[in-house]
Amino acid sequence: MTELQRLREAFRTALDLPADEPVDDLRYQDNEKWDSLAHMSLVAAIEDEFSVMIDTDDVINMSSFAEAVRILGKYGVDVK
Amino acid sequence: MNLLHPSARVVDAATGAVLTPAMIDAAAAEIAGHPIVFLPMPSTVEAVARYLAALRLEKPVLLLDPDLDHTALIARYTTDQVHPDLALLLTTSGSTGDPKLVRLSRAAVLANAGQVADSLGITGDDVAITTLPLFYSYGLSVLHSHLLRGATVVLERTGIMQRDFWAAVGEHRVTSLAFVPSQYEMLRRLRFDPSRYPSVRTLTQAGGRLRTDLVTDFAARMDAVGGRMFVMYGQTEAGPRMACLPPSRLADRLGSAGLAMPGGTFTVEDGEVVYRGPNVMMGYAETAADLARGDDLAGVLHTGDLGHLDDEGFLFITGRRKRMAKVFGVRINLDDVERHFPVAAVAGDDKLHVFTSGEDDVRALRSKIAEWLGTHFTGVDVRTISSLPLLPNGKTDYRALEASL
């Protein structure tokens, strides 16, 4: 699986979304399943999947799928 | 009813909208013809204006989760016969499956707002921010106690895992933050550092028991910056707050739910915690006819919690009489869950654990149960089990299930 596929899968698992649901355009405020609790699950899933430890500021800045891609780049994970 | 101190402010963090007397007047005109106000309650100035208008007009108001469909509940409680003392109706569990309501009088709502404000020392200089829904009794009590003392309440909707929330804490110089146990777990993950938010002086905790290591941890973080942490105990049935642990006694009474609020007393009767005070509900409602009932409880609340008091009156909660779980601060009757789904249900730490021996899709079942409860799916854990462990009497062996978690 590519990094992009792994990140999509982490989003679907954490947000309880169906396997074929498109997630690339997801944003925190637009998705009712993506609330603070799901955000905890999401951050944990991303940390597990990519073996990174995400800083507090990055945790609270991760407000969209695109932001997650950008933030993972800071940790040396090239999502594409 | 004079819950709204003239100096109190309510401001929306995202839009900058400020609650004005004219907004409350306009809301009052809209609801004037309704004997009961059924109010979906998002954290917006419009909803707060409507709520305060209902209180001012002395019309009973039922606060509802704006994200759920309440058609059946509204139909069930539609009536023009309501008791004159009745001010506020709240759901008991947040569960859409359980239509039972708590009936609170105007006197009880006001009394508890004052008790909380006194216990926490809230003044007109304080600034609270919404960390919990306003249709949930803990979130509502934050609003009440601050409005009563002429403080400011900032309405914020993104929550503590987002930058917007913490930006609002800084921008509005928030002094007090209220959280339930699951949010303390999040704060620990965020490595919450109060020195980054120097206006924050007070943390409060309610909505279920917080692990003592987290109580100690967050009390120490606040202590390091000259702030305070209050552990509190309550139930929606008490409007909702009954006890508060003073920060000065937190260390030597670790694990305690605190002392009875001013004007309240605790006794333990046959092991059950019984509270007496001016904030106790009038009673439950299960039908529209119940809304015309007067005070059924005379200020005495049998909490259903098991516990004991020490020689200074500090309360320690040890368990529940009924089989209950508390998930994200909301009580869930485990027997109700089992009546609606073919599962065995046990309580975990801020989680509902269910065991199914069927062939159901575990994820779909989790979603269905969470939807029925009106709770977040991460609060429900579903496991498959080949067969349920049974006691000699044929009943489910819940101890064995709990031990398997």
Side-chain angles (χ1 to χ4, degrees), chain B residues 150-394:
Chain B
T152 296
V153 177
V154 179
L155 304 175
E156 209 287 331
R157 290 174 293 275
T158 65
I160 63 172
M161 295 302 284
Q162 291 293 307
R163 184 182 47 195
D164 288 354
F165 176 87
W166 296 104
V169 168
E171 183 186 337
H172 294 275
R173 303 194 53 74
V174 168
T175 62
S176 180
L177 296 168
F179 297 117
V180 296
S182 58
Q183 292 172 316
Y184 279 97
E185 301 281 356
M186 294 180 198
L187 289 175
R188 192 175 58 156
R189 172 63 188 82
L190 290 176
R191 293 188 280 276
F192 171 68
D193 176 2
S195 71
R196 289 184 62 181
Y197 308 98
S199 59
V200 174
R201 313 306 299 157
T202 303
L203 293 185
T204 65
Q205 183 267 315
R209 190 171 183 279
L210 180 64
R211 289 168 19 208
T212 52
D213 59 318
L214 284 184
V215 174
T216 305
D217 176 359
F218 281 93
R221 295 185 203 210
M222 293 308 290
D223 203 40
V225 296
R228 306 167 303 170
M229 171 153 179
F230 291 89
V231 169
M232 302 191 293
Y233 161 74
Q235 292 180 349
T236 301
E237 287 85 341
R241 208 52 58 218
M242 290 183 275
C244 179
L245 180 58
S248 61
R249 303 303 300 274
L250 195 139
D252 73 332
R253 289 296 183 276
L254 190 61
S256 170
L259 297 165
M261 291 252 149
T265 55
F266 285 113
T267 53
V268 176
E269 300 174 15
D270 293 331
E272 183 183 14
V273 176
V274 178
Y275 175 81
R276 289 174 174 76
N279 48 315
V280 170
M281 67 172 175
M282 302 166 77
Y284 292 112
E286 295 189 72
T287 65
D290 290 342
L291 303 185
R293 296 180 66 86
D295 182 1
D296 293 330
L297 299 189
V300 183
L301 180 66
H302 290 260
T303 62
D305 285 326
L306 303 173
H308 59 267
L309 293 161
D310 72 9
D311 53 0
E312 285 186 78
F314 285 90
L315 177 66
F316 290 82
I317 302 292
T318 54
R320 282 291 294 175
R321 279 165 73 98
K322 272 194 275 181
R323 292 206 324 115
M324 304 289 282
K326 212 160 191 181
V327 177
F328 308 136
V330 171
R331 268 181 293 162
I332 291 168
N333 184 328
L334 297 171
D335 297 326
D336 273 356
V337 174
E338 295 185 359
R339 273 195 289 275
H340 284 84
F341 299 96
V343 298
V346 298
D349 288 336
D350 212 28
K351 219 176 183 84
L352 171 70
H353 295 276
V354 306
F355 294 85
T356 172
S357 50
E359 300 292 309
D360 299 313
D361 174 353
V362 165
R363 222 188 66 174
L365 184 61
R366 180 176 72 159
S367 297
K368 265 195 286 186
I369 294 173
E371 189 180 338
W372 179 76
L373 292 168
T375 192
H376 195 271
F377 68 87
T378 55
V380 181
D381 170 57
V382 179
R383 299 173 191 212
T384 49
I385 190 169
S386 53
S387 62
L388 286 177
L390 298 179
L391 292 165
N393 65 8

